[in-house]
Amino acid sequence: MTVTHSAPEIATSQSGPPSPRAGRRTSVWSGLWPLAVGIALAAVLHFVLPRLIGQYYSRIVMDIGIAMIMAVSLNIVNGMTGQFSIGHAGFMTLGGYAAALLTYYGSLSIWGTSLRHGGFLGVGEWMFAVSCLVGGLVAAGAGYVVGLPSLRLRGDYLAIVTLGFGEILRVVLQQTGKVIDDAEALKAAKWSQFFPPPVGGAVGFDGVPKYTDLFWVYTFVTITVVVAYRLKHSSLGRAMISIREDEIASQAMGVNIARNKVLAFVLAAFFAGAAGGLFAHEAGVILSPKDAGFQRSFDYVIMTVLGGRGSITGVMLAAVILTALPEMLRDFEQYRLIMYALLLIIMMLVRPQGLFGIHEVWQLWPGRGPRTAKKKT
Amino acid sequence: MADLVQTLLTALAIGSLYALIALGYTMVYGILKFINFAHSDIVVLGAWISYALAIKLLPMLGLNPHDAETAPPLWVGAAILLAAMLLCGLLGFAIERFAYKPLRRAPRLNVLITAIGVSLLLQNVGQLNYVFGASPQKMPALLPNIDLLRLSLPGGDGYREVVIGLVDVMIFSTSAVLMLVLEYLVYRTKLGTAMRAVSFSTDNASLMGIPVDRVVSFTFVLGSMLAAAAGFLYVMKYPGVNQPAHSIWVLLGLKAFVAAVIGGIGNVRGAVLGGFVIAFVEQFGAFYISSNYRDVYVFALLIIILLVRPTGLLGSPVREKV
């Protein structure tokens, strides 16, 4: 990395004073407290919320959390780095399948049943958390492979490659074999039955243990948001933002464009894969190949466009609105996507930078005007 | 031998469809430098308009639209084709005027997002109950189901018959005529010269007195008409008309776009070449390797071409200037 800490924030197109946060980065605690607070909040949510608003609404809150992870991670590629990926659901589904494969066949071979094992923070839940991380790693690997050709491709070609990735994944997943559904059959199974992995083909991966709860979802949300926020305010993040603002100029400043683009891709894919793991283990969800298709990807693209390119809180807010709204408007399901489409077109005509642009929500508060990012004219 | 010839014939018919769609992508890209995501939805609308017209028109002629045996006279098909092309041309004009024109000076990413918005809009409006509905329909037969030629060729254990159907021949010849007309238009007329000038440099073209807005509109109309023709021909070959938001249409559009990129995006002849290349790879891969992965071959080819020759087969390298 050749960009130094004193490099001016290119997004502002002017060299302001160094960020006031710079001096506070000395103690370990200053970096970790948001994580601790977030995880504590997640635990509170987990124990309090279902009692307050009931199972149905808690599930929507869970969906909102997963959408937040997806939108915030996609925003690293689309918002911060200025690329245009429209295959994010592909990474999510890949990670979901990888995680579900691990927990399903893991619990089948260890405990002889695919039902959930252990209580809150029990062995089963830890296996689930680890397999979500493994799902993230698998997706990150795919992100690396998809990100590589993107070095040669500018915006719109990249969009096609990512869209193609999602569609190819969908086709490939449809060719997989039937799920092996009891422990005896699993013991008797030959190695050849695992190539391609038995994850249910076109009908979907049924029988995955249901571990996802508010605690784990919001723990992952916390990790994603903290990583995204720290990234945005690091030299690495500023290098990514400089790529978004002007690729040629940032190259001239010594930013390694190729490395940064691929890194953004890998990072975003990792979180999408983890979110896929959470999604796969959610009650009432049967992961199926069509989740990798473009329709789901578009949902997340719309969140990042609506929230603002590069605004973490903006896309989180958009994730909340766009996940909760369709639940409210169940009767108008037919019109949901028409509304999304009009929203996209009108946003581009009226406010192309998104609701919050590159600002965070609190920067729009009167009197707390943007300090780190001035509005571009 | 028999299999080879049959695959070849299918590839020719499918390839000409891809080529027709790819032409629309490549012309718009050549002039406005963005992917018109809504293009594949024009194909869908072309197909559905043809279906709607056929369902309405055939009973007027005293024919049963659900009867696959009796085909109407040839002019009915031609009239439906022309009507679909005209309607889609109008639609293309309207889309350009209301969605893309206000963004002429905006960053390309914004236009791309708008295009996705238009695409979603067309898909889901088409899917409404009082438009086309969300269930697949069967296209009435507009061409008699005759085999023009039966060839006996060695294949397998003995001799096998290779059938050249009227539908395939009509698809190929209609596309060929349309492509020749386009070729004439782009390379031999004043309008085509204007199009190529705008594609070369919008600013310079407008300095030379070329009405850029009108040329752009015309390009959209032309591309949309070709797309409508492709949609019509597609449902002639595959009579099961899937609902507008079905992923099969998106894949069709994607493959046509891949064809445009492989041929060298912005290059009219390249798009035709790319369309046939894609169809050959897809059909031969499907036949000789595995038909489950036919989409995978196309995208694999795209990635290879982009890595080896990013400007496509016939594209000329562009140096990026600051």
Side-chain angles (χ1 to χ4, degrees), chain A residues 330-348:
Chain A
R330 273 265 172 241
D331 300 337
F332 301 97
E333 178 62 26
Q334 227 190 349
Y335 300 97
R336 183 176 69 102
L337 282 166
I338 296 181
M339 203 182 71
Y340 280 11
L342 287 175
L343 203 64
L344 269 188
I345 300 172
I346 292 169
M347 281 298 278
M348 282 301 115

Side-chain angles (χ1 to χ4, degrees), chain A residues 157, chain B residues 26 259-268 270-271 311-315:
Chain A
Y157 284 92
Chain B
T26 220
V261 174
I262 285 178
I265 192 134
N267 186 317
V268 172
T311 52
L313 294 174
L314 296 186

Side-chain angles (χ1 to χ4, degrees), chain A residues 89-101 138 164-179 196-205 286-293, chain B residues 292-293 295-296:
Chain A
F91 298 115
M92 174 181 177
T93 311
L94 186 66
Y97 267 100
L101 191 74
V138 170
F165 164 72
E167 290 298 315
I168 289 181
L169 188 68
R170 189 173 60 83
V171 172
V172 170
L173 285 175
Q174 275 171 358
Q175 314 302 328
T176 50
K178 268 176 66 177
V179 179
V199 289
V203 290
F205 198 165
I286 295 174
L287 196 62
S288 77
K290 72 172 195 304
D291 287 322
Chain B
N292 289 334
Y293 296 102
D295 305 328
V296 177

